[in-house]
C-alpha cells in the first residue's frame, strides 16, 4: 500500500459518497462516533461532566450560528468577505477549550470558534472582515493573537512565544493553528525545527479540512500529515476533528505535556471545510456535491446532540434554549455590524510607530488639511 | 480579423494561451491556477486544454514556486509563476532577489532566467490585509529583474506574451481592480515593444505619469481638467525597470511640469526615482518641481479607509493645481 492510499484508506464507507474516508482508530483518536456513540481510547480518556458536555454543545451551536449570520451579512454587503468555519466547529471549540487562560493561541484567519472560547467579542472579529480595522481585540489580554493572513507565519510566532514562556519558567503553552496547505510553507517547517530543537512548549494544531482553497492534500503531502511529525522529532497525533471530545482530550494532553517541559506536539485534526474557502470562492469548480453530503453525516454538532439526547443529559428544552440564545446572538451581531462606525481617516497614520515620526506627522497634517479643503 | 472586446483578465488568459501554443516550453505554476483557474480566473480553462504538466497547481509555498522555477529554467523551460496576491510574494522574495535576479550575472550569461512572475497588485477591491499592496519598488530596486505594469487589455494581451518571450526574468504586475475593464483587442496586430513607455493622451500644460491601475484614474483626471481648460499629457510608463523616460523628457520639455502618480507609498517609490531623473535631465525646462501623488507611508489600511489612502481623481487634480501654481 502506498503512502497515498494509506492517507485515504476506506474505513467507514458512506454509500454513494466521494468523501475522503475516515481513517481507523486507534490511529485516529475518536471518542464520539458520528452516530453519537461514546468510545474509549487507550491513550486519551476524558472525563466530562454533563455540564461540560452541554456547554461544549452550546459553544458549537453558537459559533455555527455566528458563522451563518456572518455569511449572510457578507452576502448583504455588510462584510467585505467572510472565511466560514462551517464543519470545523468541533476542531476549533475542542482546541480552544483545551487552553488554560494563561496559554496563548495563534490563529490563522478562520479560527472564529477559538476566538469564541477566548471570550473575544465576535464583533471584533467581524470588524476585520468588514474592513473597519485589522481585528479589534486585545491579543495579549485575550491571549488570542490577531489573525494572521500570510499562510504559516504564525507558527514561528507561536514557537518564539513558547521559547519566551520557557525562559520565564512559566508553566504555560502556546497553541499554533494552521491548515493543511500551510504545511507546505517553508516557515511552518522552520517552526517545527525550532520547536523541536529548543523543546519549546508549543502545540501545532493543523486542521486538515481537505482543501487549501481548491488544492487537495495530494499537492501538499504524500504521507498523512501527522506522520510528518516523526521526521522533525515530535509526536504526531491524528484526531477526528469533528469529534469535540477527542479534540479536547488530545489537545489538553499535548498542552499539558508542553507545560510540563515535554516539548511540542503536532496534532492533525481530520475534518472538512463544509463551506466555501471564503465568500469569494466557488467550490463547485473543484469538488463534488456528494462529498459534502457525505461529510454532513459526520457533522460535528449532530453527534453531540445525539449523545446528549440519547444519554438523557439534555432535554428538548435545553436545545430550544440554545437555539433561542443563538438567535439572540445573531440579532446582536447583526445590529452591531450595521451600527459599526467607519474609522476616521487619520487612523491610517496613528499606529504605524510607537511615536509618530516627523515625516509621517507632516503627511498626516497634509492629509487633514487636504480633507478640510473639501469641507470648507 | 480577430478584433474583439476583451476584459483585461480575459486578454491575459488569451495571451497566456497563445504563449503556450507558441512555445511548448512554457509552463504555468501557481496556487489554485489549475482546476480553479486561479482566484481571478486568469488561467481559466488552461489546465483542461494543456494538461496538468503545463498548468501546475503547486504546493502552497511561494519560495518553492520561484525556487523550482529556477531549476526548470535551467532545463530550458519558461516558467510563468502566479503569485496569488501582491502581499504573498514575500516568501518568494529571497529566491527572487538572491537567485532569480542574480543568476544571469553570476553565470556570466550562461544561465538565462526567462521566468515571469505574474502578480495581481494594487488596491481598490475592498479586500483584507495583504491583498491590496503595491510592492513594485522592491523589484525595480533589484538589478537583474525587469518590471512591467500593464494598464489595459491590449497591453495585457501582448505584454504577457512578450514577457514570456523575454530572455530575462520579468515581474509582471497586473492591476487587479482593472481585471474587468474592457477594450477592443486586435489579435492580429503587431504589438509595440514591451519595455517602452507611451503617451496615451496628448496635452500641453502638465505631464502626468502613471502605470497599472492609476492610468485610468489619471486619464479621468485629464478629462476633468480639460473641462476646466487645462490640458494634461498622460504617459503610461508601462515598464518600471528598465525605465523608459525619453518620451517623458520630451513631454516635460514642452509642458515644464510633471506629476507622478502611483498607489505605492511615496517614500522611495517609483516617483522618487522618476522625479530625480526628470529633474536632472529637464532642469532648465521645469517651471515647477516634479510632484508626486502616492499612497501614504503607512501599511495599507483596512478597506474602509482605502479610498482615503489611494490616489484618486481629486488628488491628481490637486497636484496638477499645485504644479500650475508654481
Ligand atoms: C503566503 C500566502 N500565500 C497565499 C495565500 C493565499 N491563500 C489564502 S488561504 C489559502 C489556502 C490555505 O489553505 P490551508 O492552509 O489548508 O487553510 P484553510 O484555508 O483550508 O483553513 C491561500 C493559498 C496566503 N494567504 N498566504
Amino acid at each position: 500500500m502506498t503512502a497515498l492510499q494509506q492517507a485515504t484508506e476506506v474505513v467507514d464507507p458512506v454509500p454513494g459518497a466521494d468523501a475522503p474516508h475516515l481513517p481507523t482508530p486507534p490511529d485516529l483518536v475518536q471518542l464520539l462516533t458520528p452516530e453519537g456513540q461514546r468510545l474509549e481510547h487507550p491513550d486519551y480518556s476524558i472525563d466530562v461532566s454533563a455540564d461540560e458536555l452541554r456547554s461544549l454543545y452550546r459553544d458549537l451551536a453558537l459559533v455555527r450560528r455566528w458563522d451563518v449570520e456572518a455569511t449572510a451579512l457578507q452576502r448583504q454587503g455588510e462584510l467585505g468577505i467572510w472565511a466560514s468555519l462551517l464543519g470545523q466547529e468541533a476542531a476549533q471549540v475542542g482546541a480552544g477549550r483545551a487552553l488554560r487562560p494563561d496559554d496563548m493561541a495563534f490563529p490563522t484567519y478562520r479560527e472564529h470558534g477559538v476566538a469564541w472560547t477566548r471570550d473575544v467579542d465576535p464583533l471584533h472579529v467581524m470588524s476585520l472582515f468588514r474592513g473597519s480595522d485589522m481585528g479589534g481585540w486585545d491579543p495579549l489580554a485575550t491571549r488570542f493573537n490577531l489573525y494572521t493572513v500570510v499562510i504559516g507565519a504564525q507558527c514561528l510566532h507561536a514557537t518564539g512565544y513558547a521559547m519566551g514562556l520557557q525562559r520565564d519558567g512559566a508553566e504555560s503553552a502556546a497553541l499554533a493553528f494552521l491548515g493543511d496547505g500551510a504545511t507546505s510553507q517553508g516557515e511552518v517547517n522552520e517552526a517545527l525545527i525550532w520547536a523541536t530543537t529548543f523543546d519549546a512548549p508549543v502545540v501545532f494544531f493543523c486542521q486538515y479540512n481537505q482543501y487549501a482553497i481548491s488544492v487537495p492534500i495530494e499537492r501538499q503531502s504524500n504521507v498523512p500529515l501527522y506522520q510528518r511529525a516523526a521526521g522533525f522529532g515530535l509526536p504526531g497525533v491524528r484526531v477526528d476533528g469533528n469529534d469535540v471530545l477527542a479534540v479536547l482530550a488530545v489537545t489538553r494532553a499535548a498542552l499539558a505535556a508542553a507545560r510540563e517541559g515535554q516539548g511540542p506536539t503536532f496534532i492533525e485534526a481530520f475534518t472538512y471545510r463544509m463551506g466555501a474557502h471564503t465568500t469569494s470562492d466557488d467550490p463547485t469548480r473543484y469538488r463534488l456535491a456528494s462529498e459534502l453530503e457525505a461529510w454532513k453525516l459526520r457533522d460535528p454538532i449532530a453527534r453531540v446532540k445525539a449523545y446528549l439526547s440519547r444519554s438523557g443529559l439534555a432535554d428538548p428544552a435545553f436545545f430550544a434554549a440554545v437555539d433561542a440564545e443563538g438567535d439572540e446572538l445573531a440579532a446582536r451581531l447583526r445590529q452591531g455590524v450595521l451600527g459599526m462606525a467607519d474609522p476616521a481617516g487619520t487612523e491610517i497614520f496613528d499606529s504605524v510607530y510607537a511615536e509618530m515620526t516627523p515625516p509621517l506627522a507632516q503627511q498626516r497634517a497634509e492629509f487633514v488639511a487636504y480633507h478640510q479643503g473639501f469641507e470648507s | 480579423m480577430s478584433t474583439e472586446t476583451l476584459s483585461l483578465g480575459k486578454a491575459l488568459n488569451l495571451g497566456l494561451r497563445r504563449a503556450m501554443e507558441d512555445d511548448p516550453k512554457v509552463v504555468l505554476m501557481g496556487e489554485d491556477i489549475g482546476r480553479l483557474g486561479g482566484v481571478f480566473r486568469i488561467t481559466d480553462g488552461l489546465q483542461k486544454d494543456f494538461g496538468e504538466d503545463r498548468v501546475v497547481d503547486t504546493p502552497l509555498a511561494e519560495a518553492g514556486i520561484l525556487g523550482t522555477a529556477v531549476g526548470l529554467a535551467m532545463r530550458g523551460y519558461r516558467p510563468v509563476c502566479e503569485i496569488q496576491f501582491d502581499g504573498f510574494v514575500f516568501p518568494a522574495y529571497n529566491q527572487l532577489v538572491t537567485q532569480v535576479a542574480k543568476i544571469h550575472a553570476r553565470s556570466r550569461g550562461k544561465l538565462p532566467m526567462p521566468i515571469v512572475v505574474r502578480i495581481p497588485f494594487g488596491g481598490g477591491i475592498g479586500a483584507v490585509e495583504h491583498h491590496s499592496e503595491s510592492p513594485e519598488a522592491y523589484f525595480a530596486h533589484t538589478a537583474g529583474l525587469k518590471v512591467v505594469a500593464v494598464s489595459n487589455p491590449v497591453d495585457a494581451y501582448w505584454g504577457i506574451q512578450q514577457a514570456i518571450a523575454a530572455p530575462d526574468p520579468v515581474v509582471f504586475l497586473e492591476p487587479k481592480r482593472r481585471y474587468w475593464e474592457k477594450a477592443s483587442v486586435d489579435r492580429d496586430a503587431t504589438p509595440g515593444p514591451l519595455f517602452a513607455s507611451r503617451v496615451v493622451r496628448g496635452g500641453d500644460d502638465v505631464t502626468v505619469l502613471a502605470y497599472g491601475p492609476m492610468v485610468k484614474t489619471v486619464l479621468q483626471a485629464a478629462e476633468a481638467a480639460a473641462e476646466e481648460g487645462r490640458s494634461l499629457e498622460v504617459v503610461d510608463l508601462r515598464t518600471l525597470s528598465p525605465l523608459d523616460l525619453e518620451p517623458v523628457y520630451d513631454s516635460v520639455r514642452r509642458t515644464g511640469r510633471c506629476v507622478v502618480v502611483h498607489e505605492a507609498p511615496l517614500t522611495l517609490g517609483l516617483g522618487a526615482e522618476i522625479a530625480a531623473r526628470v529633474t536632472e535631465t529637464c532642469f532648465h525646462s521645469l517651471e515647477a518641481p516634479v510632484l508626486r501623488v502616492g499612497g501614504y507611508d503607512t501599511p495599507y489600511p483596512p478597506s474602509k479607509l482605502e479610498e482615503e489612502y489611494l490616489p484618486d481623481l481629486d488628488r491628481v487634480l490637486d497636484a496638477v493645481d499645485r504644479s500650475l501654481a508654481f
Side-chain angles (χ1 to χ4, degrees):
Chain A
M1 195 159 46
T2 67
L4 205 68
Q5 281 165 330
Q6 242 174 36
T8 54
E9 199 180 342
V10 178
V11 176
D12 64 338
V14 180
D18 301 290
H21 294 287
L22 276 182
T24 21
D27 286 347
L28 178 86
V29 181
Q30 191 181 64
L31 299 179
L32 197 58
T33 68
E35 296 74 32
Q37 213 176 8
R38 216 30 195 94
L39 302 180
E40 289 304 325
H41 188 281
D43 302 325
Y44 299 97
S45 63
I46 192 167
D47 212 1
V48 276
S49 68
D51 270 351
E52 203 175 354
L53 257 177
R54 282 190 296 263
S55 95
L56 284 168
Y57 174 83
R58 176 180 169 272
D59 278 358
L60 295 169
L62 294 184
V63 297
R64 177 169 290 184
R65 189 66 187 86
W66 164 15
D67 190 79
V68 165
E69 196 62 22
T71 300
L73 282 162
Q74 193 283 335
R75 292 280 175 248
Q76 292 151 13
E78 295 296 335
L79 301 181
I81 192 170
W82 181 250
S84 170
L85 62 47
L86 195 68
Q88 298 177 222
E89 295 89 349
Q92 298 190 7
V93 167
R97 292 279 297 257
L99 288 161
R100 287 197 325 210
D102 52 315
D103 295 328
M104 178 80 187
F106 289 80
T108 70
Y109 39 80
R110 203 188 292 286
E111 270 71 63
H112 322 314
V114 184
W116 175 263
T117 66
R118 302 306 270 173
D119 289 330
V120 170
D121 186 339
L123 287 172
H124 282 326
V125 176
M126 292 162 92
S127 60
L128 184 161
F129 289 95
R130 186 172 166 86
S132 302
D133 56 33
M134 304 282 192
W137 67 93
D138 179 339
L140 293 178
T142 56
R143 300 246 195 268
F144 182 72
N145 195 36
L146 291 173
Y147 277 1
T148 301
V149 175
V150 177
I151 299 295
Q154 74 282 357
C155 292
L156 281 166
H157 308 163
T159 303
Y161 187 95
M163 289 164 67
L165 291 171
Q166 193 178 38
R167 277 164 191 266
D168 298 342
E171 280 173 26
S172 315
L175 183 57
F177 289 86
L178 67 153
D180 42 282
T183 61
S184 292
Q185 281 290 355
E187 290 182 12
V188 171
N189 288 271
E190 290 184 27
L192 293 170
I193 290 164
W194 280 71
T196 47
T197 56
F198 287 95
D199 232 12
V202 54
V203 174
F204 299 94
F205 189 91
C206 177
Q207 287 167 84
Y208 171 29
N209 65 2
Q210 313 293 326
Y211 291 94
I213 308 188
S214 70
V215 180
I217 193 69
E218 288 76 9
R219 251 315 116 84
Q220 320 290 351
S221 183
N222 67 359
V223 292
L225 293 173
Y226 77 104
Q227 287 180 8
R228 271 203 189 156
F232 288 94
L234 75 169
V237 186
R238 182 184 249 180
V239 61
D240 180 348
N242 286 15
D243 172 356
V244 71
L245 293 185
V247 173
L248 182 62
V250 165
T251 315
R252 255 188 200 161
L255 288 168
R259 290 187 209 104
E260 286 159 18
Q262 294 169 39
T265 301
F266 182 91
I267 298 171
E268 174 194 335
F270 197 92
T271 182
Y272 188 70
R273 195 195 76 210
M274 291 172 92
H277 170 69
T278 66
T279 44
S280 307
D281 179 38
D282 174 12
T284 62
R285 283 183 159 248
Y286 54 83
R287 68 185 194 192
L288 296 170
S290 53
E291 190 181 289
L292 174 61
E293 291 310 310
W295 274 94
K296 280 185 183 163
L297 302 176
R298 297 176 190 156
D299 186 273
I301 305 185
R303 69 179 75 182
V304 182
K305 188 171 187 176
Y307 178 63
L308 280 172
S309 314
R310 204 170 314 130
S311 54
L313 297 175
D315 56 13
F318 166 77
F319 295 114
V322 172
D323 283 350
E325 198 183 349
D327 289 341
E328 275 164 38
L329 171 71
R332 173 173 88 79
L333 297 183
R334 169 166 292 269
Q335 207 180 9
V337 166
L338 297 182
M340 262 174 208
D342 283 350
T346 46
E347 280 186 25
I348 294 173
F349 303 92
D350 290 345
S351 314
V352 181
Y353 300 102
E355 206 174 313
M356 175 93 60
T357 61
L360 195 57
Q362 190 187 332
Q363 266 189 15
R364 187 184 190 280
E366 285 165 8
F367 175 89
V368 170
Y370 174 76
H371 285 280
Q372 274 167 359
F374 284 98
E375 283 155 28
S376 56
Chain B
M1 280 299 287
S2 55
T3 299
E4 48 192 316
T5 302
L6 297 177
S7 67
L8 198 156
K10 184 66 184 172
L12 286 168
N13 177 268
L14 291 174
L16 287 166
R17 177 177 288 278
R18 187 151 161 192
M20 295 185 78
E21 282 162 0
D22 288 352
D23 184 350
K25 293 292 192 184
V26 173
V27 177
L28 312 193
M29 309 165 68
E31 294 155 8
D32 305 285
I33 68 166
R35 200 181 300 184
L36 186 64
V39 295
F40 290 108
R41 310 290 185 261
I42 303 303
T43 53
D44 194 21
L46 297 179
Q47 188 181 65
K48 185 165 71 60
D49 294 345
F50 292 94
E52 293 186 15
D53 287 343
R54 294 197 62 201
V55 181
V56 183
D57 269 324
T58 66
L60 207 180
E62 289 80 6
I65 295 172
L66 264 296
T68 57
V70 168
L72 285 163
M74 291 173 69
R75 293 293 304 171
Y77 289 94
R78 301 186 97 82
V80 181
C81 305
E82 175 175 300
I83 298 295
Q84 202 161 79
F85 282 89
D86 32 59
F88 306 138
V89 70
F90 299 104
Y93 192 62
N94 172 44
Q95 285 288 341
L96 267 168
V97 173
T98 68
Q99 306 303 321
V100 174
K102 295 182 172 60
I103 285 174
H104 191 271
R106 187 184 297 150
S107 68
R108 298 188 175 219
K110 289 190 186 64
L111 296 176
M113 282 289 129
I115 295 171
V116 173
V117 189
R118 296 182 35 241
I119 310 178
F121 85 125
I125 62 160
V128 294
E129 203 183 357
H130 315 296
H131 292 72
S132 308
E133 297 172 7
S134 298
E136 59 270 21
Y138 298 128
F139 306 117
H141 190 66
T142 302
L145 300 178
K146 291 186 171 176
V147 185
V148 299
V150 292
S151 67
N152 62 78
V154 176
D155 283 354
Y157 178 71
W158 295 112
I160 190 62
Q161 295 177 62
Q162 292 168 314
I164 292 169
D168 295 309
V170 179
V171 175
F172 190 88
L173 299 166
E174 304 171 359
K176 69 172 84 80
R177 71 160 128 161
R178 307 289 185 218
Y179 272 145
W180 299 272
E181 302 276 331
K182 291 188 171 156
S184 162
V185 181
D186 174 4
R187 292 202 271 150
D188 290 330
T190 308
L194 176 62
F195 300 104
S197 59
R198 185 187 293 146
V199 176
V200 290
R201 180 184 171 112
D204 303 318
D205 297 336
V206 182
T207 305
V208 187
L209 317 178
Y211 54 86
M214 282 290 109
V215 173
K216 180 178 177 184
T217 306
V218 167
L219 285 171
Q220 286 169 338
E223 204 59 47
E227 284 167 23
E228 294 173 14
R230 276 166 298 166
S231 149
L232 308 188
E233 178 140 308
V234 180
V235 182
D236 181 349
L237 287 170
R238 300 173 79 247
T239 172
L240 309 184
S241 180
L243 281 166
D244 174 36
L245 295 185
E246 281 310 323
V248 174
Y249 302 149
D250 289 345
S251 176
V252 173
R253 286 191 187 106
R254 278 191 297 104
T255 62
R257 299 171 200 278
C258 182
V259 173
V260 196
V261 184
H262 51 62
E263 290 189 12
L266 215 58
T267 295
L268 290 172
L270 263 289
E273 179 65 29
I274 291 165
R277 291 188 189 214
V278 169
T279 306
E280 283 165 9
T281 309
C282 306
F283 186 68
H284 294 291
S285 312
L286 283 172
E287 309 273 350
V290 179
L291 297 182
R292 292 171 294 159
V293 183
Y296 298 102
D297 291 327
T298 69
Y300 197 88
S303 61
K304 289 276 178 198
L305 290 176
E306 69 180 340
E307 273 182 36
E308 264 110 326
Y309 177 87
L310 290 169
D312 60 4
L313 185 144
D314 287 327
R315 281 178 64 199
V316 175
L317 291 177
D318 175 66
V320 165
D321 285 348
R322 283 186 287 125
S323 177
L324 285 166
F326 267 93

